Structures are given as structure tokens and as C-alpha cells.
Amino acid sequence: MSARFEGIGLVSHDVVVVGGGLSGLVAAIRLAQAGRDVAVFATGHGGLPLAPAVIDVLGYGEGRVTAPGRELPRFLAARPDHPLARIDPGALAAACAWFLELAAPLGYQGTVERNLFLPTAVGALRPTAMVPETMAAGDLAQGGSVLIVGIHGYRDFYPQLLAANLAAAPSPFGSRIDARGVEVVLPGNAGSLRPQLLARRLEQPQVRADLASSIRSELAHEERVGLPAVLGLEHAREVWSDLQDAVGRPLFEIPTVPPSVPGVRLQALLTRSLRRLGGRLVTGAAVVGGEGVGGRLASVRVASSAREVEVRADHFVLATGGVATGGIVVERGGGAREVVLGLPTTAVGLQRDPSSGYFSPRAGDRLGLAVDRLLRPVDRQGQPVYANLHAAGAILEGAVPWREKSGNGISLATGYAAATAILGGSQ
Amino acid sequence: MSLEPTAEFEVRSSLDHCVKCTVCESACPVAGVTELFPGPKTVGPQAERFRAGAHSPDLSVDLCSGCGVCSRVCPHGVRIAEINSRARAELKREHGVPLRDQILARPGLMGRAARPLAPVFNWALGNSTVRWLGEHTLGVHHLAPVPRVAARPFSSWARRHRPLRSDRHVIYFHGCSTEHFEPALGKQVVRILEHNGFSVLIPKQDCCGLPLQSNGLFEPSRRYLTRLGRQLSVVDGEGLPVIASSTSCGLMLKREGLEILGLRDRRLVGVSERTYDIFEFLAELREREELVTDFRQLRLTVAYHAPCQQQNQLIGKPALDLLAEVPGLRLVEMEQLCCGIAGTYGIKREKYDIAMEVGKPLFADIADCAPDLVACDSETCRWQIAKATGLPVVHPLEVLYRAYGGI
């Protein structure tokens, strides 16, 4: 009988990141920049292709926030378990500066010192800190007069509704917003258009020239022009600046309902950056468990197509998201479970309070992992569960991102800070 | 009676996890280039709700190329591509399968039939009149990439090959393409495994049934795959790793046969659990520090494209890690997902333009890279890329073979 080759199903890296959303990719890129051999395992794409790709830091505290940098110390002092309160006070600013450099190919701009107020797909004003160049002219903090242009056949954008809501919206400084909505027809367009197809089509110079001339013929006294965020996929800045020149007014993209073209652009930029730094990204492979040895996480188990593979690393980042994305599962009866490693979550009591409104605070809003200053998940005694496991993003306890408008800011800052912790503290 | 859920139930019930988030739509290579295909969410989890015991609501699922990107990117584990594959089979059962697809779905039969006339056959495939006729009678696009039939099949070399004497054995699953179209690849696989101390067993084997499956012919596909499971189990030493060099056929063995076709055959399940992609296997040797690394310098720029079915194995890109060790080699990872061909999809007259449009960004990136060679793990993708770029396209294993000095 011949000797058998026993498959051991083993791979190893310096750092393994679990989760491919914004926080996971940020941590991975920063570690790869520092020369670490990094692999990201993700069950699927994170929220990036769905979301507007703007970086909110703090939109609402005690009311609408115009200067998050100024408001944050007070906001966090009242919330010591908030993710941004856990990390080094300088980490947020460092992460933002780092992000602006990384995302320079998409012309990201902005600062935590001042929120921009961008129209949403339904014409509300969204306070946000950093935005791609293609959206920046949509800042209506000081009011203004805008023409909102829809494209016939692209069915998920309603220019008249958007304009009517904008005109009715209280602008943060009391200035008036004058808005009008129109729909133009792109030549050769029959049937329904999906955002990505539209984005690709607008990469052809003739198509955008046609669009520009339709917009010009609709334009009256308006100072600015807003369009759905479908202005190009790979060459968005070129499409946007061409259109703006041809229309002759400042022009901006308005984030749409999913799928989000700006989100796809940002995701492509981040994954490309990771790859070019030698990082690995395995999409579709769920991490299903892990093995701890002597207070450290030694390996995780990854479900490949035929069997589970043991992946070892010196450090791990858990960035699987919160309840909404399946990093934490709420169970019948109100318990909650962290799905990959069974880490302890915030105590709950998730029973629905029938008297509360849809957006009113309720138990479980801040559900997540409790962590120490190095973002390591801790047990009930406050001790790190594993010395080399860090958590980042929506899985952390203490924030209510949908009410605070703080989601991407938390993901960026904690992803960055988790990498800092692994690199030994230096920013 | 077993209470284990059937594969059909598992695939279908996964649609209940769909929250309509559109992540799949944002990543689908086909939906990104044509309005004719309403996208994976629509033809998958949406339309599936109308299919229970009834006709498919429309025919657009036939435009799904089966690349599997949607299932890979879905954050909620919905088996979108698998739902589509089953729906397509139902559609074909109802509306019939054209003669062309019946032929394309049987590469083994095609190879065997063409071999005695290989020179004539190969000439004909290069002849524009014949190709024009092929398009107008059969529906095979006249510009679509088609392989040349080798004068001698891989198995005739394998039969004469004297295996290395070693106490470490592996089984080689070479697939139809190596057998009939690219026998040189099979020899390189055997040489490399032998160079690393393995005795390579090559049982007689037939098609895995993947082209039948992707063309909606599930019944014959099940027969082929079950037979292959038997063929790969017969050699002495059950429990030996099965090494696949055709990445799509390897995935068929690993998962698709069990999941899409719903097979539960005991021998097939056994083979499935032991199947390795060739680079996955070599990477594991490297991890154990058992890989022979007497590489010589290769002054080459190679553009590496990991094809969809390789990515669907969920093993990362081990070829990148391994080839990174070859001195002098400049390996550039391509970032586009799909070349468009998707097995037999892009060969068909009505789908050729879509397939070329899907592949366009990849072809452009390859041109920008200006490589000496392109490397890609899947045969039909190699033919597509070679045809579209005019560059030589090889299996990454051939690059490794050269690094070993052609052994």
C-alpha cells in the first residue's frame, strides 16, 4: 500500500482580514502599504456598491451638525462606548488625511471641520464630510438655485420629486433653495436603462455631448445642475468635467438608490489599491470559525468550494459588519451572536417597543462588540479575548450610524486604527 | 427515509435570503454591457418565485453566461448562478436544445470524431467559407475562437509514459481539453508533479459533463459526471488527491455537480472532497516547505488573468503566490473579472457580441500591460483571449514548467 498524501488545507499570511467592506479594505490596504502580507476573506461584497460613497463622520448629534470636528468631543464625551471614543483622538483626522490621498484618483475632498450638505435621491440634505469631486458642487449649505435633470429610461431617479423636496427642505443656514426638475431624453435610448449601462454609455464623448445639449436647452436661470450619479464608471472625472464644461454651469452628481455607481467606483479603487500592493482578496469565501491557542487566535477556517481550509496569521481583523450585514445575528428571544468566532456581544434586551416610532431609539440600536483601546474584542471582564484579534467597522458597539450619519467615518477611522494597532501603534 | 435537504431545496430556498440589495447587479459582467439581460437579481431570485411548477416568466435567463460572479459577490449567500443554471435547464427542457448546443456540449465526442481527420478539420476551422457556413447553418459565430484538434490525444502519451517510482501518489484528472486539444499541458502537469516527487496515476477518463450542464442538458451531464467519479475512484488508493488542471472541470467535480445537478453519488462525493486545482495543490506543498524550487531565471512579463471558474473555487489566486518565486519573472495581475467566453457561451452567434463586449476591458488591460505571454487557468478563456488580443496565452502551469527549465 502506498503512502498517502494527506491534504492539510493550510495557508498562512501575516494578517488576515475577515470582511471586504470599507473598514476591512481600509485596514488591509494600510497594512499592505506597510509591507505586510495581507489576505482579505469576504462572504461577498460589502456595502460599498450600494451606498453613496461619501464619508459621513457626524451628521446628527444634538441636532444637525455643521462642523463635526468641533461637535465630536462633546458628542463622544456623552458616549464613552462609541467606536470613535475608543480610538486615539488623532486617529480620525489621520485616517481622513490618509483616505484623501488614497482616493485622490476620484478627486475626494472635504474635511471633518465642515459638513457639506448634499441632496439625496429623494431631495433631503445629507450632512457629510468627504465626497468625490463629482458631487462637491452639490453642497447646498448656503442654498442656491439648481436644475435637477433626470434621464428618460433611468427609472430610479425622480427629478421633480427631488426638486420639490429640496425646495421645501430647511437649509442649515436658513438660505433658500430654488430647485426645478426636468427629464431629458438620450438619443437612441429605448426601454429601461440600468445605472451601470448608463455610466458606461456616457463614457462615449458623443453621448455626453448629446446629453449636454439637451441640458442646455432646458437650462434657464439656474446656477447649478444636478444629475443622477451615473456619470461614467472608469472615467468619471473626465465624463463629469466634460459635461460641466459643455453645460457651462457647476454640475454635480446626486447619489441614487442602489446600485450606486460612485460606490462601485470607490470599491474598484480600493480593491485595485490592495492588489497593487500585493494584498489578496478572496471574495465569496466565508470564514466559518477559528482556533485559539494560548490567548491568541492561531487560525481561521475558510470554506473553499470543496473543503474548509485553515488559514493562519499573526494578526486578524474582524470586519464582518453588524446586524444589517450578518456579522452579528440576533436570535429569537433577544440574544445576539457574533457569527465567526462566537465573541461576546453587548448585552441586549431586543424586544421591540411597540410604542416607539420607526427611527426612535430602541434597545439593541448600539448592539455590537465591546473593544479595548486597541480595538480588541473583550470579554465580560474587559480582557481581550485574543491578544492578536482586532475589530473594525459596523461590528463595533456603541454607535447608531443610521441616526448619527457616522457609518463610513467609523469604518474608515476604525479600519485605519486597527491597522495602526497591528503595526505597533505608530500612525 | 432521509431528512437531509436536497441540493435542489438548498439552492432554491437560498433565494429567501435575497434582500434585493443589487450587489449582484452591480458586479454582473453581462448586465454591465447589455440591456437585453435584466440582471442576476431579476432573472434569479425575482423570477424564480414565478417558476414553481410553472413556465419561466421570460427567456432572458438564457443570456446568463453562468460565470458565477453573482453568487460570489452576494453578501447573503443566495445561490444566484445556480438558480439560473437550473432555470435554464428547465427552459431548455421546455423549448428544446438546438443541435449546435448538443454538439458543443460534448467536447470529448467532438475530439474523438475529428481526430482521424484532424488536418482537414483544423484547416476547415481556419477557412472563412466554412466558418460562414458554420454560422449560418449551426449558429457558431464565424469569428468565435475554436481550438485545434491535436494529432495524438494526451491519453496515448499517458499510456506509454512510465510513471515515476515513488511512494507518494496523486491522481490526475486532465479533462477533455488536455486530451483532445492541448495534450502538451498534460505532459507538463505530469512532469512537474514528478519533479516534486509524486507518482502520477492517470486513469482512463471521460468528460465531466460541465458543457452539458451549462447548456441545460442535465440528464446526460449527470451520467457523465457519475461515470467520471467512478473512473477517478478505481485506481488503487482511495483517498489520494485528485489534481485538476482544467479549472472549470475541477470546479464541476468539487462543487457544481453536487450543487447544480444535485448528485449524491458516494464515490463522486469522495472524489469531490479530494479534488485540488493544480496550483492549489502546489501552494500547499509550498506551505509545507516541500515544493521543489530550483527555478531558473525567466526574463518575461506575464499578464495573469484568474478566470471566473478558478475564482469560484474560493481558493484565492495560488498561481500568483507561486510564480512570485520565479526569479526575473514580472507577473502582472489583471483586475477585470471576466473575458466573456464563459465556456461555450461566447461561441454562439447570438451571444458572441455580448461576450466580446464583456471581455473588452480585460483585452484593453492586457494590451496596456504589453506582456510577452498571457497566463490563464481556463482553456476556453485562453482561446478567447488569444483570439481577441493576438498574444500567446498559456496555462500558468506552462510558465512554471519553463521556470523549472522545461524539466
Side-chain angles (χ1 to χ4, degrees):
Chain A
M1 184 63 206
S2 58
R4 285 186 186 177
F5 174 91
E6 290 294 339
I8 49 172
L10 188 66
V11 185
S12 56
H13 297 279
D14 294 343
V15 187
V16 161
V17 177
V18 187
L22 181 62
S23 58
L25 289 174
V26 162
I29 292 168
R30 180 131 193 274
L31 288 160
Q33 283 175 335
R36 299 295 194 276
D37 158 34
V38 187
V40 179
F41 294 90
T43 42
H45 282 172
L48 284 166
L50 306 176
V54 295
I55 308 291
D56 305 332
V57 171
L58 185 66
Y60 294 88
E62 312 301 322
R64 192 144 63 169
V65 174
T66 53
R70 207 173 56 217
E71 181 69 18
L72 266 173
R74 192 163 32 141
F75 178 81
L76 296 177
R79 293 167 182 80
D81 62 347
H82 194 279
L84 294 179
R86 299 279 188 198
I87 58 175
D88 187 280
L92 174 64
C96 289
W98 175 87
F99 179 80
L100 287 179
E101 196 179 326
L102 183 76
L106 293 171
Y108 269 80
Q109 49 190 261
T111 147
V112 294
E113 297 313 314
R114 189 177 81 78
N115 269 336
L116 287 79
F117 288 80
L118 301 187
T120 69
V122 291
L125 284 182
R126 176 194 191 108
T128 188
M130 295 192 292
V131 305
E133 184 175 24
T134 53
M135 294 181 194
D139 180 19
L140 294 171
Q142 308 297 337
S145 93
V146 290
L147 179 69
I148 307 294
V149 180
I151 297 169
H152 183 71
Y154 174 42
R155 292 183 296 189
D156 290 332
F157 190 81
Y158 308 96
Q160 288 86 357
L161 170 84
L162 207 159
N165 283 344
L166 267 185
S171 102
F173 301 105
S175 341
R176 214 182 110 67
I177 296 171
D178 169 24
R180 186 167 65 96
V182 295
E183 194 167 78
V184 299
V185 178
L186 268 189
N189 158 31
S192 77
L193 284 167
R194 286 191 302 274
Q196 263 155 306
L197 277 172
L198 199 47
R200 285 228 171 88
R201 191 175 293 183
L202 284 166
E203 293 186 335
Q204 301 165 24
Q206 189 53 52
V207 177
R208 55 181 185 260
D210 291 341
L211 177 61
S213 81
S214 307
I215 295 172
R216 271 197 314 270
S217 68
E218 293 285 350
L219 201 57
H221 63 282
E222 289 88 0
E223 301 154 354
R224 293 186 251 177
V225 175
L227 282 154
V230 295
L231 307 184
L233 206 57
E234 299 273 331
H235 309 284
R237 293 179 79 183
E238 186 186 328
V239 174
W240 164 77
S241 73
D242 267 17
L243 262 178
Q244 178 165 267
D245 292 348
V247 169
R249 306 278 161 88
L251 183 141
F252 58 94
E253 288 190 307
I254 301 171
T256 64
V257 299
S260 159
V261 171
V264 171
R265 289 179 205 141
L266 180 58
Q267 167 154 315
L269 176 83
L270 295 177
T271 53
R272 185 175 304 152
S273 305
L274 179 63
R275 289 207 176 104
R276 292 190 179 168
L277 291 160
R280 298 278 182 259
L281 175 59
V282 185
T283 305
V287 176
V288 294
E291 191 73 40
V293 177
R296 292 178 73 81
L297 186 62
S299 62
V300 289
R301 291 197 309 281
V302 179
S304 85
S305 57
R307 60 196 151 259
E308 286 179 8
V309 177
E310 187 187 347
V311 183
R312 290 185 191 159
D314 299 330
H315 300 275
F316 295 84
V317 178
L318 188 66
T320 46
V323 175
T325 45
I328 292 175
V329 169
V330 176
E331 291 172 325
R332 244 172 227 277
R337 180 168 59 87
E338 185 283 312
V339 298
V340 174
L341 298 165
L343 299 168
T345 63
T346 325
V348 273
L350 289 161
Q351 288 79 358
R352 194 186 167 86
D353 173 3
S355 66
S356 64
Y358 190 78
F359 284 113
S360 45
R362 57 166 63 99
D365 273 359
R366 292 154 189 268
L367 177 66
L369 300 181
V371 290
D372 67 6
R373 286 184 52 87
L374 295 176
L375 296 179
R376 293 177 301 188
V378 294
D379 59 22
R380 304 265 180 247
Q381 285 72 45
Q383 295 304 308
V385 180
Y386 298 111
N388 59 338
L389 171 69
H390 306 262
I395 198 169
L396 300 172
E397 69 164 9
V400 193
W402 54 91
R403 201 159 50 233
E404 300 164 1
K405 285 280 153 226
S406 60
N408 276 353
I410 291 172
S411 290
L412 169 61
T414 57
Y416 182 89
T420 304
I422 288 169
L423 295 172
S426 62
Q427 280 181 14
Chain B
M1 194 181 90
S2 164
L3 289 176
E4 206 180 313
T6 61
E8 180 177 8
F9 175 81
E10 281 181 1
V11 165
R12 190 152 201 274
S13 66
S14 74
L15 73 84
D16 280 341
H17 297 281
C18 176
V19 298
K20 314 289 180 281
C21 74
T22 70
V23 156
C24 58
E25 259 184 52
S26 73
C28 173
V30 175
V33 300
T34 174
E35 287 151 37
L36 297 173
F37 183 57
K41 182 189 75 172
T42 307
V43 304
Q46 303 272 70
E48 186 66 14
R49 295 178 190 280
F50 299 97
R51 290 193 190 112
H55 305 297
S56 198
D58 72 357
L59 306 180
S60 60
V61 69
D62 189 46
L63 286 173
C64 161
S65 77
C67 69
V69 167
C70 48
S71 294
R72 214 162 71 225
V73 303
C74 175
H76 300 287
V78 183
R79 308 302 294 156
I80 309 163
E82 292 72 14
I83 288 172
N84 289 348
S85 188
R86 286 164 171 273
R88 189 166 45 241
E90 277 303 304
L91 200 69
K92 299 285 173 181
R93 222 165 47 94
E94 205 173 312
H95 295 265
V97 178
L99 175 65
R100 170 198 66 191
D101 299 5
Q102 298 272 7
I103 297 171
L104 290 177
R106 292 176 171 85
L109 221 60
M110 245 188 323
R112 275 198 295 279
R115 173 149 314 100
L117 300 164
V120 180
F121 185 81
N122 291 339
W123 168 84
L125 289 179
N127 180 281
S128 57
T129 312
V130 175
R131 292 298 302 268
W132 185 89
L133 280 170
E135 175 160 340
H136 287 84
T137 55
L138 273 178
V140 172
H141 196 280
H142 71 283
L143 293 174
V146 280
R148 300 293 185 262
V149 176
R152 304 189 63 155
F154 172 69
S155 56
S156 83
W157 176 86
R159 267 197 306 277
R160 289 194 320 276
H161 177 70
R162 188 196 297 247
L164 178 80
R165 291 170 68 94
S166 165
D167 59 356
R168 306 176 88 197
H169 292 79
V170 291
I171 295 167
Y172 178 32
F173 163 47
H174 53 71
C176 299
S177 168
T178 299
E179 171 72 356
H180 298 292
F181 309 123
E182 300 179 328
L185 173 65
K187 296 175 204 172
Q188 291 166 3
V189 170
V190 173
R191 300 277 194 223
I192 286 176
L193 288 168
E194 288 180 345
H195 189 60
N196 280 282
F198 289 91
S199 180
V200 183
L201 307 171
I202 312 169
K204 178 185 177 319
Q205 52 193 272
D206 294 293
C207 182
C208 66
L210 171 60
L212 286 161
Q213 184 258 99
S214 68
N215 280 284
L217 294 154
F218 277 17
E219 265 323 304
S221 180
R222 288 187 182 110
R223 283 199 301 276
Y224 272 79
L225 186 59
T226 309
R227 180 174 62 193
L228 180 67
R230 214 162 49 227
Q231 290 169 330
L232 295 177
S233 304
V234 289
V235 276
D236 172 38
E238 257 192 61
L240 293 179
V242 174
I243 313 290
S245 57
S246 166
T247 200
S248 50
C249 306
L251 183 65
M252 181 71 174
L253 259 187
K254 278 180 165 190
R255 190 168 80 187
E256 290 192 342
L258 307 180
E259 193 176 18
I260 297 177
L261 300 175
L263 288 173
R264 284 287 185 266
D265 179 80
R266 185 182 54 81
R267 270 178 299 210
L268 179 64
V269 171
V271 168
S272 167
E273 287 166 354
R274 303 183 271 123
T275 299
Y276 285 77
D277 195 66
I278 177 74
F279 271 98
E280 180 188 18
F281 183 75
L282 295 173
E284 197 167 309
L285 288 184
R286 175 170 171 262
E287 190 68 36
R288 304 164 164 232
E289 301 184 352
E290 288 174 8
L291 185 78
V292 177
T293 53
D294 54 348
F295 300 129
R296 66 174 195 187
Q297 183 147 309
L298 277 190
R299 292 214 171 279
L300 285 176
T301 295
V302 175
Y304 173 63
H305 169 63
C308 302
Q309 305 306 325
Q310 190 279 341
Q311 285 294 281
N312 291 345
Q313 299 206 19
L314 311 180
I315 55 173
K317 300 181 181 177
L320 277 182
D321 296 320
L322 230 83
L323 292 173
E325 300 214 350
V326 176
L329 183 67
R330 183 171 162 256
L331 194 64
V332 185
E333 180 184 9
M334 295 292 105
E335 286 156 0
Q336 304 292 340
L337 290 177
C338 183
C339 73
I341 193 80
T344 57
Y345 181 90
I347 296 173
K348 299 169 183 172
R349 177 174 55 189
E350 72 280 11
K351 290 160 183 143
Y352 173 83
D353 289 336
I354 295 175
M356 291 304 286
E357 199 60 32
V358 167
K360 217 185 237 174
L362 172 66
F363 308 147
D365 286 358
I366 289 173
D368 285 347
C369 171
D372 301 299
L373 276 180
V374 182
C376 175
D377 314 66
S378 155
E379 46 272 34
T380 55
C381 308
R382 286 197 288 278
W383 305 332
Q384 164 90 334
I385 296 167
K387 177 98 190 187
T389 63
L391 289 164
V393 188
V394 300
H395 193 294
L397 197 97
E398 182 170 331
V399 181
L400 189 70
Y401 183 74
R402 291 192 195 188
Y404 275 132
I407 313 172

